[in-house]
Amino acid sequence: MTYTALIGVIIVAIILVAAMAISMAYRSGKHMGAVEQARRDLEAQANQPESVFGRGVRPDEASRALLDVLRSAIILTDGLGNVRYVSADAKRLDLVSDGHVSSSEIRDMLTQVVGDDQVRDREVTVTASAPSGRITEQTERYLQVRIGHLASIQGASVPDGDGIADKGGRNELYVIMIEDVSDRRHFESMRRDFVTNVSHELKTPAGAISLLAETISDAAGDPDAVKYFSGRISKESARLTELVQKLIELQKVQDDDVAAAQSNEPVCVPQIVREAVSENEVQASAKHIEIRMFFGDDTVGVVAGAEGSDDDGHDHSGATPGRQVDVNDEDAIVVRADAENLKTAVKNLVENAIHYSPEGTHVGVSVKRTNGSVQIRVVDQGIGIPAEAQNRIFERFYRVDPARSRATGGTGLGLSITKHIVQEAGGTISVWSRPNEGSTFTIELPRA
């Protein structure tokens, strides 16, 4: 090896050693830098004020999760009502429009909180729009609202001279917590009305019976008067008995334990309708009202009291003898429900149709299958129901015309009982009505 080659080898070796040294120094420095940065982060974290979530928790992430977990609907806004955050529940309440709080009452509360920095808690009433958009179907919603100052907004804009921002306004963040207590208020109202109505309904016939008994005692020497007032006592006694019976039925359909014990078996709907109509035939006959039943696609119908078969002896009603039914029979109109309860529900609707229809009119009861459900429809040519009363007719003791209801023997409980029965069977009940034209009640139940 020449001297020149030896020098070249030495230089290459030196370069390799230097490169290795530089690489090791870089790695060591990088590691030391990472250690130093971690130490600085720990010191910075130690020097920062501890959040309510404790150390090691990211406040932003925890705050958003907390807002989602809270039972109350949450709106975050500045003091001028500019909304910065709306929870999913708050969106459903429809209280924010174009980035601002839409309720004037809530805005007034916010203004007061901005002014004196005091937490306020108040129940407010807002009008909830109906899905249909109809003004007559709007409802009142009761909201428990709590508003308080939450934090200062960093880097907020400079006040524009009106002085609002100096006391809060756009420079401060406020939280609006909202809880919908509408169901609670409606329940309390219904409970008060129920106690009042029960007391009144029981007191009226009881007082009448007492007064009539006293009158009979005074008229003991007049056989005609005794006969007349005895008949009045019987009528008031029957009314009292019916009211008590309806209260018992209502309690049964509302009792969870009783509902759980009731049968939920396949039920032939046409057969149930026949039985319900049959129990109303005497009342219909007394008012010369014809009840006609329609099953499936039948457009002619069967008059109550007539046989449900044609000349060839075949039954086209879809009903089967008794209540046994084959759920695999494609022609059967079947639902799963308690047979006695379902009969009561249909009977109540037919009974109302007779009570509130003029003499010589018609009542139609139809049963048909739709997509995945069975519809039972009761149509009358009666006095009808005003639009403003249609949302309340399923309330206990509610009567559109109290005087007429008492004259016809109504208790104001039939529709409430029917609604509970239908809901227990997993169905819905709706009404269409127009004054002086008639009403249509529709029960829709899932097919078995």
Side-chain angles (χ1 to χ4, degrees), residues 22-69:
I22 292 172
S23 177
M24 292 178 63
Y26 173 76
R27 292 178 181 176
S28 177
K30 185 177 181 181
H31 175 70
M32 293 298 294
V35 172
E36 179 63 20
Q37 184 62 43
R39 184 185 65 80
R40 289 176 181 175
D41 290 344
L42 289 173
E43 288 182 354
Q45 185 176 353
N47 293 330
Q48 287 181 353
E50 186 175 346
S51 73
V52 294
F53 303 107
R55 294 177 181 174
V57 178
R58 294 182 179 180
D60 180 66
E61 181 181 342
S63 298
R64 289 185 176 274
L66 177 62
L67 292 175
D68 292 336
V69 170

Side-chain angles (χ1 to χ4, degrees), residues 84-101:
R84 301 171 71 97
Y85 171 83
V86 185
S87 69
D89 288 337
K91 289 179 182 177
R92 283 192 287 270
L93 292 174
D94 196 23
L95 295 173
V96 176
S97 177
D98 296 328
H100 293 79
V101 178

Side-chain angles (χ1 to χ4, degrees), residues 380-409:
D380 66 52
Q381 299 171 321
I383 60 175
I385 305 168
E388 62 273 14
Q390 291 178 20
N391 287 333
R392 299 195 59 193
I393 57 175
F394 295 103
E395 296 178 10
R396 292 170 294 185
F397 291 111
Y398 182 79
R399 296 183 176 96
V400 177
D401 185 350
R404 184 182 180 92
S405 294
R406 290 191 177 93
T408 58

Side-chain angles (χ1 to χ4, degrees), residues 157-174:
S157 58
V158 178
D160 57 8
D162 57 11
I164 297 178
D166 296 333
K167 296 182 179 180
R170 65 172 66 118
N171 292 338
E172 304 295 333
L173 186 65
Y174 296 86

Side-chain angles (χ1 to χ4, degrees), residues 119-135:
V119 175
R120 278 179 169 74
D121 198 326
R122 185 189 308 167
E123 184 175 299
V124 302
T125 305
V126 298
T127 301
S129 301
S132 63
R134 298 176 183 173
I135 297 178

Side-chain angles (χ1 to χ4, degrees), residues 144 167 245 259 299 359 380 433 436:
Q144 192 67 37
K167 296 182 179 180
Q245 183 60 37
T299 58
E359 291 192 14
D380 66 52
S433 186
N436 302 318

